[in-house]
Amino acid sequence: MALMVEMVTFDSTDPHALGLWWARQLGGTVQGETDAWFVVVTDVRGVQQLGFQRVESPTPGKNRVHLDLQAPDVAAEVDRLVADGATLVARHAEQGLSWTVLADPDGNQFCVSQHA
Protein backbone atom coordinates (compact mmCIF):
# COMPACT_ATOMS: atom_id res chain seq x y z
CA MET A 1 0.00 0.00 0.00
CA ALA A 2 1.51 3.34 -1.04
CA LEU A 3 -1.05 5.72 0.49
CA MET A 4 -0.42 7.72 3.66
CA VAL A 5 -2.34 10.53 5.29
CA GLU A 6 -0.60 13.83 4.55
CA MET A 7 -3.12 16.26 5.99
CA VAL A 8 -6.53 16.44 7.63
CA THR A 9 -8.36 19.51 6.30
CA PHE A 10 -11.21 21.47 7.90
CA ASP A 11 -13.59 23.81 6.09
CA SER A 12 -13.94 27.16 7.84
CA THR A 13 -15.31 30.64 7.25
CA ASP A 14 -12.18 31.98 9.05
CA PRO A 15 -9.32 29.53 8.43
CA HIS A 16 -6.66 31.76 9.99
CA ALA A 17 -8.46 32.07 13.34
CA LEU A 18 -9.35 28.37 13.41
CA GLY A 19 -5.80 27.38 12.43
CA LEU A 20 -4.39 29.51 15.25
CA TRP A 21 -6.84 27.92 17.72
CA TRP A 22 -5.84 24.36 16.75
CA ALA A 23 -2.13 25.31 16.77
CA ARG A 24 -2.54 26.46 20.40
CA GLN A 25 -4.39 23.30 21.39
CA LEU A 26 -1.92 20.86 19.81
CA GLY A 27 1.34 22.78 20.15
CA GLY A 28 1.59 23.24 16.39
CA THR A 29 2.91 26.05 14.23
CA VAL A 30 0.91 28.00 11.65
CA GLN A 31 2.67 27.79 8.26
CA GLY A 32 1.95 28.85 4.69
CA GLU A 33 -1.12 30.99 4.45
CA THR A 34 -2.32 31.34 0.86
CA ASP A 35 -4.30 34.53 0.24
CA ALA A 36 -6.08 33.95 3.57
CA TRP A 37 -8.01 31.04 2.06
CA PHE A 38 -5.81 28.18 3.26
CA VAL A 39 -3.79 27.82 6.46
CA VAL A 40 -1.52 24.89 7.38
CA VAL A 41 -0.61 23.89 10.93
CA THR A 42 2.54 21.76 11.25
CA ASP A 43 4.52 20.20 14.10
CA VAL A 44 1.41 18.45 15.41
CA ARG A 45 2.19 15.17 17.17
CA GLY A 46 0.75 12.17 15.34
CA VAL A 47 -0.35 13.98 12.15
CA GLN A 48 1.87 15.59 9.55
CA GLN A 49 -0.34 18.61 9.01
CA LEU A 50 -3.77 20.05 9.66
CA GLY A 51 -5.22 22.27 6.94
CA PHE A 52 -7.91 24.94 7.19
CA GLN A 53 -9.56 26.18 3.99
CA ARG A 54 -11.99 29.04 3.53
CA VAL A 55 -15.49 28.17 2.40
CA GLU A 56 -18.44 30.51 1.98
CA SER A 57 -20.84 28.30 3.93
CA PRO A 58 -19.82 25.28 6.00
CA THR A 59 -21.54 21.96 5.42
CA PRO A 60 -24.54 21.80 7.75
CA GLY A 61 -24.83 19.15 10.45
CA LYS A 62 -22.24 17.03 12.24
CA ASN A 63 -18.87 16.65 10.56
CA ARG A 64 -18.33 13.18 9.11
CA VAL A 65 -14.61 13.03 9.93
CA HIS A 66 -13.28 14.03 13.33
CA LEU A 67 -10.10 13.93 15.39
CA ASP A 68 -9.76 11.48 18.28
CA LEU A 69 -7.26 12.93 20.74
CA GLN A 70 -5.74 11.36 23.86
CA ALA A 71 -4.66 13.01 27.10
CA PRO A 72 -3.20 11.71 30.37
CA ASP A 73 -5.78 13.78 32.34
CA VAL A 74 -8.99 14.09 30.33
CA ALA A 75 -10.81 16.30 32.85
CA ALA A 76 -7.97 18.84 32.98
CA GLU A 77 -7.61 18.84 29.18
CA VAL A 78 -11.35 19.30 28.65
CA ASP A 79 -11.36 22.20 31.13
CA ARG A 80 -8.42 23.80 29.27
CA LEU A 81 -10.06 23.37 25.87
CA VAL A 82 -13.40 24.81 27.05
CA ALA A 83 -11.60 27.77 28.66
CA ASP A 84 -10.01 28.51 25.28
CA GLY A 85 -13.25 28.42 23.27
CA ALA A 86 -14.24 24.77 22.75
CA THR A 87 -17.80 23.70 23.55
CA LEU A 88 -18.62 20.59 25.56
CA VAL A 89 -20.97 18.42 23.47
CA ALA A 90 -21.28 15.13 25.38
CA ARG A 91 -19.57 12.62 27.65
CA HIS A 92 -19.76 8.92 26.77
CA ALA A 93 -18.85 5.64 28.45
CA GLU A 94 -19.31 2.27 26.74
CA GLN A 95 -17.77 -1.15 27.20
CA GLY A 96 -15.03 0.11 29.50
CA LEU A 97 -14.16 3.07 27.26
CA SER A 98 -14.92 6.70 28.02
CA TRP A 99 -14.50 9.84 25.94
CA THR A 100 -15.63 13.44 25.84
CA VAL A 101 -16.97 15.06 22.66
CA LEU A 102 -16.22 18.75 22.16
CA ALA A 103 -16.59 21.22 19.31
CA ASP A 104 -13.96 23.73 18.20
CA PRO A 105 -14.92 27.42 17.73
CA ASP A 106 -16.27 26.62 14.23
CA GLY A 107 -18.41 23.74 15.52
CA ASN A 108 -16.19 20.86 14.27
CA GLN A 109 -16.57 18.02 16.74
CA PHE A 110 -13.60 16.08 18.17
CA CYS A 111 -13.11 13.59 20.98
CA VAL A 112 -10.73 13.43 23.94
CA SER A 113 -10.07 10.16 25.73
CA GLN A 114 -7.62 8.75 28.27
CA HIS A 115 -4.23 7.40 27.16
CA ALA A 116 -4.50 3.63 26.80
Side-chain angles (χ1 to χ4, degrees), residues 21-33:
W21 189 86
W22 276 104
R24 277 196 315 275
Q25 306 321 311
L26 298 173
T29 304
V30 174
Q31 300 290 325
E33 184 176 345

Side-chain angles (χ1 to χ4, degrees), residues 69-91:
L69 307 173
Q70 291 185 338
D73 183 344
V74 173
E77 198 61 29
V78 167
D79 288 346
R80 184 188 71 77
L81 289 159
V82 169
D84 198 26
T87 302
L88 178 63
V89 175
R91 296 182 195 274

Side-chain angles (χ1 to χ4, degrees), residues 74-75 78-79 82 88-94 98-102 112:
V74 173
V78 167
D79 288 346
V82 169
L88 178 63
V89 175
R91 296 182 195 274
H92 298 280
E94 258 182 55
S98 64
W99 66 97
T100 302
V101 181
L102 298 118
V112 179

Side-chain angles (χ1 to χ4, degrees), residues 32-115:
E33 184 176 345
T34 308
D35 297 331
W37 72 269
F38 199 87
V39 173
V40 175
V41 175
T42 60
D43 303 322
V44 177
R45 291 185 306 168
V47 176
Q48 281 199 311
Q49 302 177 101
L50 295 177
F52 301 88
Q53 68 183 2
R54 182 177 304 281
V55 295
E56 293 303 315
S57 57
T59 304
K62 183 182 179 299
N63 46 307
R64 295 182 67 179
V65 175
H66 67 270
L67 298 178
D68 285 326
L69 307 173
Q70 291 185 338
D73 183 344
V74 173
E77 198 61 29
V78 167
D79 288 346
R80 184 188 71 77
L81 289 159
V82 169
D84 198 26
T87 302
L88 178 63
V89 175
R91 296 182 195 274
H92 298 280
E94 258 182 55
Q95 301 175 6
L97 301 172
S98 64
W99 66 97
T100 302
V101 181
L102 298 118
D104 70 18
D106 268 13
N108 301 300
Q109 292 185 15
F110 61 98
C111 299
V112 179
S113 64
Q114 191 79 29
H115 278 295

